[in-house]
Amino acid sequence: MTEFDAEKFEEKYVHYFEELETAYSNAYQELHGQYDSEILRGIDRQILSESEPVYEGDGAFHIRLPDDTATRAQSLPGDEETFDTVLSAFTDAIERELRRQFEFE
């Protein structure tokens, strides 16, 4: 595990790129098989590839989504409710993985 430094997280892609990749990948693997793989893969590639993990303090992270998430979602299979459910589960899993990667859990 990696020791976390909130100041270094401001330049997260320089200092924590490997940990971020691992968190996103682990979250994907956690959800694989629970949700339709086409929707999961589409969210990963079209939405979360442009997301921004944000450290909020006290061991809490938030995934900031692209401004045009709704537009991007229109090209994905499934209905809006399914999209919202999968996206929420995915971002929750990433946030959990970030807490785990940086030993907050």
Side-chain angles (χ1 to χ4, degrees):
M1 297 295 163
T2 303
E3 186 175 329
F4 183 78
D5 181 328
E7 288 184 26
K8 284 185 176 181
F9 201 76
E10 291 176 21
E11 294 184 38
K12 62 188 128 297
Y13 300 111
V14 172
H15 300 287
Y16 297 120
F17 185 77
E18 187 174 313
E19 292 83 354
L20 296 172
E21 276 194 329
T22 299
Y24 275 68
S25 177
N26 288 351
Y28 184 91
Q29 292 305 317
E30 176 186 325
L31 300 177
H32 186 68
Q34 294 182 36
Y35 297 101
D36 179 278
S37 62
E38 196 173 334
I39 295 170
L40 190 62
R41 186 173 39 256
I43 288 173
D44 183 45
R45 292 181 180 164
Q46 295 184 37
I47 309 291
L48 295 176
S49 66
E50 299 294 324
S51 68
E52 182 79 19
V54 177
Y55 180 64
E56 295 182 328
D58 295 324
F61 292 89
H62 173 73
I63 304 302
R64 185 178 304 136
L65 300 174
D67 291 337
D68 62 347
T69 295
T71 303
R72 292 171 186 238
Q74 292 174 354
S75 67
L76 299 176
D79 59 28
E80 186 177 342
E81 183 178 345
T82 301
F83 169 80
D84 289 342
T85 299
V86 177
L87 180 61
S88 179
F90 209 155
T91 56
D92 289 349
I94 294 168
E95 291 164 5
R96 260 192 322 278
E97 282 296 320
L98 287 169
R99 289 190 302 273
R100 192 179 71 71
Q101 285 289 314
F102 295 113
E103 299 182 330
F104 288 112
E105 287 191 349

